[in-house]
Amino acid sequence: MTTETDTKPAYSPGLAGVIAGETEICWVDPNAGLMYRGYDIHEMAEKANFEEVAYLLLNGELPTTKQLEEFSKALAAERPLPKEVLEMMRLMPKNTHPMDMLRTGVSMLGPFDPQLNDHSHDANIRKAIRLIAKTTTLIADGFRIQHGQNPLPERPDLTMAGNLFYKLSGEVPPTWKIRMMDTIFILYADHEFNASTFAARVTAATLADIYAAVTSACGTLKGPLHGGANEEAMAMLDEIKTADRAEDWMMNALAKKAKIMGFGHRVYKSGDSRVPIMREIGRDLGQRVGKDQWIPICEKLEATMDREKHLCANVDLYAAPVFAMLNFDPALNTPIFAASRVAGWCAHVVEQQDHNRLIRPRSLYTGPASRPYKAAAASNGS
Ligand code: ACO
């Protein structure tokens, strides 16, 4: 009979290629495809709005007109934050990164939810609506507080995309900008077992609550190898400045073995499904706002990286200049990603807890072999 100590389970560093669970929510095709519940992301990005996609991710089917109306109303009604959470944000150091503010805010919201410890399907969906609604409020109100401004009242007549612009700047954006933001939110809404979603599922699988799971996800998204890349990519583009400097910059960085933000992906090896849409938004926006320098820099970087290392650009490379041209502070790049991905995180928590099994892998022990214990007193000779 073989015991567990005799067998050697397969080991994959970084869990690369490991199937860690089942999901009906999202499929990432390594050959540059992406589907939400069977619907092609490219079609959704063109035709749907974020609320529709959030409904689809949470409920499994597209909403009817009436269901969408009710869902959008419920989201808008849940936007305001408890005053204690606003007070907490005023107490945070002024230089707190917006992702740290968001993570802390999500965590603090938990005990204010009367259904915090009810993990039934229906309660989880209701909590998901509250969390999706309040995430943009945490981001916008937190940002204004940090910059010495008072949070603005909600505009329930605006969709989440429109309301985010309004809550940050006090201005209702033109329709084309809201449409563009909806497309961006749709592109970022889910991506199967990416690092932050996996973190959320690991937390949810212990039967901790959805706020705990989304807090784990926010902490994970912040890292520059994941969501944090879209802030770092903007710093890189700012440094490069013009397309004619991009190739030299890249060659220098590669010679120093630097990790270039906005390039590479664990799953996509022949292109990120979201890049062509984000690149197109960048081109369109560049013309609209008279800042057409950014996309040619990205394209030159892409060509150089492809030639040198056969690595593809990921969505964060193009999201960075898009957010800059939409006038968002670069520190908000990753929180905006979170404002959308929270829909995916919540859908995965619901799915995890509906069919739960603890997620607990093994490690490959590489430490010292068994050795005799020597007490400190004995080895000191005292
Ligand atoms: N810059 C330079 N070299 C890279 C990069 C990069 N961005 N990405 C991968 N490589 C190199 C690796 O160092 C490795 O080289 P080696 O074989 O000489 O050691 C080789 O390419 C293969 O790397 P992978 O195994 O494919 O990378 P992995 O799957 O472990 O990591 C990751 C994926 C973390 C996304 C990586 O590509 C990276 O760090 N990219 C930069 C950060 C980034 O843009 N993150 C955003 C991801 S998308 C998202 O979260 C929305």
Side-chain angles (χ1 to χ4, degrees):
M1 193 184 87
T2 53
T3 63
E4 211 193 329
T5 40
D6 302 326
T7 58
K8 272 205 174 159
Y11 167 50
S12 174
L15 299 182
V18 170
I19 303 287
E22 291 176 296
T23 184
E24 295 180 353
I25 300 169
C26 175
W27 185 58
V28 177
D29 176 353
N31 296 313
L34 177 58
M35 285 197 305
Y36 296 158
R37 304 252 187 208
Y39 293 103
D40 191 320
I41 178 78
H42 298 92
E43 212 180 343
M44 301 289 290
E46 195 189 324
K47 297 178 186 160
N49 76 357
F50 174 74
E51 280 79 354
E52 206 175 343
V53 168
Y55 184 100
L56 172 72
L57 292 174
L58 285 177
N59 297 294
E61 295 297 335
L62 284 170
T64 61
T65 310
K66 187 161 178 283
Q67 283 167 334
L68 179 58
E69 207 176 291
E70 282 169 8
F71 184 72
S72 307
K73 261 194 196 154
L75 279 175
E78 291 289 355
R79 283 178 194 150
L81 301 174
K83 63 179 186 330
E84 291 86 350
V85 174
L86 286 169
E87 215 35 57
M88 173 281 289
M89 294 203 286
R90 293 186 203 282
L91 294 172
M92 300 279 279
K94 284 284 172 274
N95 60 355
T96 302
H97 190 282
M99 274 310 287
D100 296 330
M101 187 79 99
L102 175 63
R103 189 197 65 234
T104 310
V106 168
S107 176
M108 189 172 173
L109 281 174
F112 287 91
D113 195 313
Q115 293 175 303
L116 181 63
N117 295 312
D118 180 350
H119 305 329
S120 64
H121 179 87
D122 290 351
N124 272 345
I125 295 280
R126 281 195 288 274
K127 287 183 285 183
I129 291 172
R130 292 177 198 132
L131 255 168
I132 296 167
K134 286 178 170 58
T135 295
T136 39
T137 320
L138 284 169
I139 295 165
D141 290 3
F143 191 77
R144 285 184 73 88
I145 287 169
Q146 277 190 304
H147 289 82
Q149 296 169 306
N150 280 323
L152 292 165
E154 300 301 322
R155 285 281 305 259
D157 56 314
L158 296 174
T159 58
M160 194 176 108
N163 193 55
L164 174 65
F165 285 113
Y166 171 74
K167 289 275 293 181
L168 282 168
S169 68
E171 281 167 32
V172 178
T175 313
W176 67 261
K177 245 188 189 181
I178 297 178
R179 176 65 244 159
M180 205 172 254
M181 200 64 214
D182 264 316
T183 303
I184 296 165
F185 278 155
I186 290 168
L187 291 183
Y188 268 132
D190 197 38
H191 218 226
E192 51 119 299
F193 278 28
N194 61 92
S196 56
T197 303
F198 190 58
R201 288 191 78 128
V202 169
T203 304
T206 68
L207 296 186
D209 62 85
I210 194 168
Y211 290 87
V214 172
T215 304
S216 296
C218 285
T220 308
L221 188 73
K222 184 188 174 194
L225 296 193
H226 187 16
N230 63 10
E231 182 180 344
E232 303 266 335
M234 197 58 226
M236 169 182 81
L237 298 178
D238 270 334
E239 193 185 318
I240 298 172
K241 287 189 179 60
T242 53
D244 60 333
R245 288 162 40 91
E247 185 174 354
D248 283 354
W249 187 96
M250 175 71 93
M251 294 306 286
N252 255 322
L254 290 178
K256 289 182 199 148
K257 306 252 175 258
K259 272 263 155 82
I260 320 293
M261 294 296 128
F263 283 93
H265 199 275
R266 176 56 64 79
V267 180
Y268 297 123
K269 297 300 172 201
S270 63
D272 179 329
S273 58
R274 303 159 295 182
V275 160
I277 304 175
M278 197 64 95
R279 194 195 287 116
E280 218 27 65
I281 292 178
R283 269 202 203 105
D284 179 11
L285 202 47
Q287 282 177 0
R288 284 178 190 270
V289 302
K291 289 186 180 166
D292 49 12
Q293 74 274 31
W294 297 123
I295 302 308
I297 300 178
C298 296
E299 287 175 318
K300 193 76 202 168
L301 291 174
E302 263 197 281
T304 313
M305 187 61 120
D306 183 38
R307 187 188 71 211
E308 296 298 317
K309 292 199 73 150
H310 304 298
L311 280 176
C312 59
N314 61 57
V315 68
D316 285 338
L317 179 70
Y318 285 95
V322 163
F323 290 153
M325 289 188 277
L326 286 170
N327 273 337
F328 292 118
D329 186 293
L332 287 177
N333 289 7
T334 315
I336 291 169
F337 181 163
S340 159
R341 183 59 58 86
V342 66
W345 292 334
C346 288
H348 280 271
V349 171
V350 174
E351 187 181 60
Q352 181 66 40
Q353 294 194 332
D354 281 353
H355 313 277
N356 194 52
R357 184 150 195 230
L358 182 78
I359 300 172
R360 200 295 188 196
R362 292 297 316 274
S363 63
L364 181 65
Y365 179 69
T366 58
S370 173
R371 46 186 168 162
Y373 167 73
K374 271 195 216 145
S379 61
N380 285 342
S382 53

PDB file of all heavy atoms in Angstrom, residues 302-321:
ATOM      1  N   GLU A 302       5.695  47.360 -27.898  1.00  0.00           N
ATOM      2  CA  GLU A 302       5.151  46.030 -28.248  1.00  0.00           C
ATOM      3  C   GLU A 302       6.017  45.352 -29.307  1.00  0.00           C
ATOM      4  O   GLU A 302       6.369  44.178 -29.177  1.00  0.00           O
ATOM      5  CB  GLU A 302       3.735  46.181 -28.828  1.00  0.00           C
ATOM      6  CG  GLU A 302       2.619  45.966 -27.853  1.00  0.00           C
ATOM      7  CD  GLU A 302       1.290  45.717 -28.572  1.00  0.00           C
ATOM      8  OE1 GLU A 302       0.672  46.703 -29.025  1.00  0.00           O
ATOM      9  OE2 GLU A 302       0.878  44.558 -28.671  1.00  0.00           O
ATOM     10  N   ALA A 303       6.345  46.120 -30.368  1.00  0.00           N
ATOM     11  CA  ALA A 303       7.122  45.546 -31.473  1.00  0.00           C
ATOM     12  C   ALA A 303       8.508  45.121 -30.980  1.00  0.00           C
ATOM     13  O   ALA A 303       9.013  44.050 -31.347  1.00  0.00           O
ATOM     14  CB  ALA A 303       7.240  46.574 -32.606  1.00  0.00           C
ATOM     15  N   THR A 304       9.116  45.948 -30.140  1.00  0.00           N
ATOM     16  CA  THR A 304      10.469  45.628 -29.650  1.00  0.00           C
ATOM     17  C   THR A 304      10.431  44.390 -28.749  1.00  0.00           C
ATOM     18  O   THR A 304      11.264  43.485 -28.879  1.00  0.00           O
ATOM     19  CB  THR A 304      11.064  46.839 -28.881  1.00  0.00           C
ATOM     20  OG1 THR A 304      10.861  48.007 -29.660  1.00  0.00           O
ATOM     21  CG2 THR A 304      12.534  46.651 -28.591  1.00  0.00           C
ATOM     22  N   MET A 305       9.420  44.337 -27.860  1.00  0.00           N
ATOM     23  CA  MET A 305       9.316  43.187 -26.942  1.00  0.00           C
ATOM     24  C   MET A 305       9.041  41.907 -27.724  1.00  0.00           C
ATOM     25  O   MET A 305       9.591  40.843 -27.404  1.00  0.00           O
ATOM     26  CB  MET A 305       8.203  43.458 -25.924  1.00  0.00           C
ATOM     27  CG  MET A 305       8.113  42.429 -24.829  1.00  0.00           C
ATOM     28  SD  MET A 305       9.608  42.329 -23.823  1.00  0.00           S
ATOM     29  CE  MET A 305       8.970  42.719 -22.220  1.00  0.00           C
ATOM     30  N   ASP A 306       8.231  41.998 -28.751  1.00  0.00           N
ATOM     31  CA  ASP A 306       7.915  40.824 -29.561  1.00  0.00           C
ATOM     32  C   ASP A 306       9.189  40.315 -30.248  1.00  0.00           C
ATOM     33  O   ASP A 306       9.485  39.123 -30.232  1.00  0.00           O
ATOM     34  CB  ASP A 306       6.831  41.199 -30.594  1.00  0.00           C
ATOM     35  CG  ASP A 306       6.414  39.984 -31.405  1.00  0.00           C
ATOM     36  OD1 ASP A 306       6.337  38.896 -30.820  1.00  0.00           O
ATOM     37  OD2 ASP A 306       6.182  40.125 -32.630  1.00  0.00           O
ATOM     38  N   ARG A 307       9.951  41.255 -30.811  1.00  0.00           N
ATOM     39  CA  ARG A 307      11.190  40.885 -31.514  1.00  0.00           C
ATOM     40  C   ARG A 307      12.219  40.280 -30.540  1.00  0.00           C
ATOM     41  O   ARG A 307      12.847  39.276 -30.834  1.00  0.00           O
ATOM     42  CB  ARG A 307      11.774  42.153 -32.160  1.00  0.00           C
ATOM     43  CG  ARG A 307      12.963  41.921 -33.071  1.00  0.00           C
ATOM     44  CD  ARG A 307      13.569  43.249 -33.486  1.00  0.00           C
ATOM     45  NE  ARG A 307      14.258  43.904 -32.381  1.00  0.00           N
ATOM     46  CZ  ARG A 307      14.355  45.216 -32.226  1.00  0.00           C
ATOM     47  NH1 ARG A 307      13.808  46.061 -33.079  1.00  0.00           N
ATOM     48  NH2 ARG A 307      15.010  45.725 -31.197  1.00  0.00           N
ATOM     49  N   GLU A 308      12.359  40.895 -29.371  1.00  0.00           N
ATOM     50  CA  GLU A 308      13.413  40.479 -28.443  1.00  0.00           C
ATOM     51  C   GLU A 308      13.056  39.255 -27.610  1.00  0.00           C
ATOM     52  O   GLU A 308      13.904  38.420 -27.330  1.00  0.00           O
ATOM     53  CB  GLU A 308      13.769  41.642 -27.487  1.00  0.00           C
ATOM     54  CG  GLU A 308      14.357  42.855 -28.188  1.00  0.00           C
ATOM     55  CD  GLU A 308      15.672  42.530 -28.897  1.00  0.00           C
ATOM     56  OE1 GLU A 308      16.507  41.816 -28.316  1.00  0.00           O
ATOM     57  OE2 GLU A 308      15.844  42.989 -30.059  1.00  0.00           O
ATOM     58  N   LYS A 309      11.797  39.180 -27.129  1.00  0.00           N
ATOM     59  CA  LYS A 309      11.468  38.102 -26.168  1.00  0.00           C
ATOM     60  C   LYS A 309      10.187  37.349 -26.508  1.00  0.00           C
ATOM     61  O   LYS A 309       9.766  36.476 -25.743  1.00  0.00           O
ATOM     62  CB  LYS A 309      11.335  38.698 -24.750  1.00  0.00           C
ATOM     63  CG  LYS A 309      12.671  39.200 -24.175  1.00  0.00           C
ATOM     64  CD  LYS A 309      12.641  39.352 -22.676  1.00  0.00           C
ATOM     65  CE  LYS A 309      12.656  38.017 -21.972  1.00  0.00           C
ATOM     66  NZ  LYS A 309      13.283  38.009 -20.658  1.00  0.00           N
ATOM     67  N   HIS A 310       9.555  37.692 -27.629  1.00  0.00           N
ATOM     68  CA  HIS A 310       8.273  37.063 -27.996  1.00  0.00           C
ATOM     69  C   HIS A 310       7.258  37.132 -26.866  1.00  0.00           C
ATOM     70  O   HIS A 310       6.518  36.186 -26.617  1.00  0.00           O
ATOM     71  CB  HIS A 310       8.470  35.609 -28.440  1.00  0.00           C
ATOM     72  CG  HIS A 310       9.439  35.478 -29.566  1.00  0.00           C
ATOM     73  ND1 HIS A 310       9.219  36.050 -30.793  1.00  0.00           N
ATOM     74  CD2 HIS A 310      10.642  34.870 -29.629  1.00  0.00           C
ATOM     75  CE1 HIS A 310      10.249  35.795 -31.572  1.00  0.00           C
ATOM     76  NE2 HIS A 310      11.122  35.095 -30.883  1.00  0.00           N
ATOM     77  N   LEU A 311       7.249  38.244 -26.138  1.00  0.00           N
ATOM     78  CA  LEU A 311       6.260  38.422 -25.078  1.00  0.00           C
ATOM     79  C   LEU A 311       5.201  39.400 -25.564  1.00  0.00           C
ATOM     80  O   LEU A 311       5.512  40.400 -26.218  1.00  0.00           O
ATOM     81  CB  LEU A 311       6.912  39.013 -23.823  1.00  0.00           C
ATOM     82  CG  LEU A 311       7.680  38.058 -22.913  1.00  0.00           C
ATOM     83  CD1 LEU A 311       8.334  38.851 -21.787  1.00  0.00           C
ATOM     84  CD2 LEU A 311       6.765  36.990 -22.328  1.00  0.00           C
ATOM     85  N   CYS A 312       3.933  39.119 -25.191  1.00  0.00           N
ATOM     86  CA  CYS A 312       2.860  39.995 -25.662  1.00  0.00           C
ATOM     87  C   CYS A 312       2.529  41.059 -24.617  1.00  0.00           C
ATOM     88  O   CYS A 312       2.806  40.890 -23.423  1.00  0.00           O
ATOM     89  CB  CYS A 312       1.620  39.177 -25.997  1.00  0.00           C
ATOM     90  SG  CYS A 312       0.976  38.242 -24.630  1.00  0.00           S
ATOM     91  N   ALA A 313       1.940  42.153 -25.102  1.00  0.00           N
ATOM     92  CA  ALA A 313       1.468  43.188 -24.181  1.00  0.00           C
ATOM     93  C   ALA A 313       0.220  42.671 -23.484  1.00  0.00           C
ATOM     94  O   ALA A 313      -0.536  41.885 -24.058  1.00  0.00           O
ATOM     95  CB  ALA A 313       1.129  44.455 -24.959  1.00  0.00           C
ATOM     96  N   ASN A 314       0.026  43.099 -22.235  1.00  0.00           N
ATOM     97  CA  ASN A 314      -1.247  42.791 -21.575  1.00  0.00           C
ATOM     98  C   ASN A 314      -2.074  44.071 -21.466  1.00  0.00           C
ATOM     99  O   ASN A 314      -1.594  45.168 -21.758  1.00  0.00           O
ATOM    100  CB  ASN A 314      -1.034  42.090 -20.230  1.00  0.00           C
ATOM    101  CG  ASN A 314      -0.265  42.936 -19.237  1.00  0.00           C
ATOM    102  OD1 ASN A 314      -0.677  44.053 -18.922  1.00  0.00           O
ATOM    103  ND2 ASN A 314       0.856  42.411 -18.753  1.00  0.00           N
ATOM    104  N   VAL A 315      -3.333  43.913 -21.045  1.00  0.00           N
ATOM    105  CA  VAL A 315      -4.291  45.029 -21.072  1.00  0.00           C
ATOM    106  C   VAL A 315      -3.794  46.255 -20.301  1.00  0.00           C
ATOM    107  O   VAL A 315      -4.123  47.394 -20.632  1.00  0.00           O
ATOM    108  CB  VAL A 315      -5.670  44.555 -20.546  1.00  0.00           C
ATOM    109  CG1 VAL A 315      -5.638  44.232 -19.064  1.00  0.00           C
ATOM    110  CG2 VAL A 315      -6.768  45.559 -20.847  1.00  0.00           C
ATOM    111  N   ASP A 316      -2.965  46.017 -19.271  1.00  0.00           N
ATOM    112  CA  ASP A 316      -2.527  47.141 -18.440  1.00  0.00           C
ATOM    113  C   ASP A 316      -1.615  48.119 -19.177  1.00  0.00           C
ATOM    114  O   ASP A 316      -1.533  49.285 -18.805  1.00  0.00           O
ATOM    115  CB  ASP A 316      -1.843  46.624 -17.167  1.00  0.00           C
ATOM    116  CG  ASP A 316      -2.866  46.087 -16.180  1.00  0.00           C
ATOM    117  OD1 ASP A 316      -4.036  46.477 -16.282  1.00  0.00           O
ATOM    118  OD2 ASP A 316      -2.492  45.281 -15.308  1.00  0.00           O
ATOM    119  N   LEU A 317      -0.928  47.654 -20.229  1.00  0.00           N
ATOM    120  CA  LEU A 317      -0.069  48.578 -20.984  1.00  0.00           C
ATOM    121  C   LEU A 317      -0.908  49.690 -21.593  1.00  0.00           C
ATOM    122  O   LEU A 317      -0.558  50.865 -21.510  1.00  0.00           O
ATOM    123  CB  LEU A 317       0.681  47.830 -22.102  1.00  0.00           C
ATOM    124  CG  LEU A 317       1.575  48.742 -22.955  1.00  0.00           C
ATOM    125  CD1 LEU A 317       2.778  49.226 -22.162  1.00  0.00           C
ATOM    126  CD2 LEU A 317       2.046  48.040 -24.225  1.00  0.00           C
ATOM    127  N   TYR A 318      -2.038  49.326 -22.208  1.00  0.00           N
ATOM    128  CA  TYR A 318      -2.871  50.327 -22.881  1.00  0.00           C
ATOM    129  C   TYR A 318      -3.848  51.005 -21.923  1.00  0.00           C
ATOM    130  O   TYR A 318      -4.273  52.138 -22.154  1.00  0.00           O
ATOM    131  CB  TYR A 318      -3.596  49.693 -24.072  1.00  0.00           C
ATOM    132  CG  TYR A 318      -2.647  49.475 -25.231  1.00  0.00           C
ATOM    133  CD1 TYR A 318      -2.010  48.261 -25.422  1.00  0.00           C
ATOM    134  CD2 TYR A 318      -2.335  50.524 -26.088  1.00  0.00           C
ATOM    135  CE1 TYR A 318      -1.107  48.070 -26.463  1.00  0.00           C
ATOM    136  CE2 TYR A 318      -1.440  50.355 -27.129  1.00  0.00           C
ATOM    137  CZ  TYR A 318      -0.827  49.124 -27.313  1.00  0.00           C
ATOM    138  OH  TYR A 318       0.076  48.956 -28.339  1.00  0.00           O
ATOM    139  N   ALA A 319      -4.205  50.307 -20.827  1.00  0.00           N
ATOM    140  CA  ALA A 319      -5.102  50.941 -19.845  1.00  0.00           C
ATOM    141  C   ALA A 319      -4.424  52.171 -19.241  1.00  0.00           C
ATOM    142  O   ALA A 319      -5.093  53.179 -18.963  1.00  0.00           O
ATOM    143  CB  ALA A 319      -5.471  49.949 -18.748  1.00  0.00           C
ATOM    144  N   ALA A 320      -3.111  52.096 -19.051  1.00  0.00           N
ATOM    145  CA  ALA A 320      -2.393  53.194 -18.383  1.00  0.00           C
ATOM    146  C   ALA A 320      -2.595  54.533 -19.117  1.00  0.00           C
ATOM    147  O   ALA A 320      -3.075  55.499 -18.513  1.00  0.00           O
ATOM    148  CB  ALA A 320      -0.922  52.835 -18.229  1.00  0.00           C
ATOM    149  N   PRO A 321      -2.267  54.630 -20.430  1.00  0.00           N
ATOM    150  CA  PRO A 321      -2.487  55.914 -21.098  1.00  0.00           C
ATOM    151  C   PRO A 321      -3.966  56.260 -21.250  1.00  0.00           C
ATOM    152  O   PRO A 321      -4.336  57.441 -21.260  1.00  0.00           O
ATOM    153  CB  PRO A 321      -1.815  55.741 -22.466  1.00  0.00           C
ATOM    154  CG  PRO A 321      -1.743  54.271 -22.686  1.00  0.00           C
ATOM    155  CD  PRO A 321      -1.588  53.659 -21.326  1.00  0.00           C
TER     156      PRO A 321
END
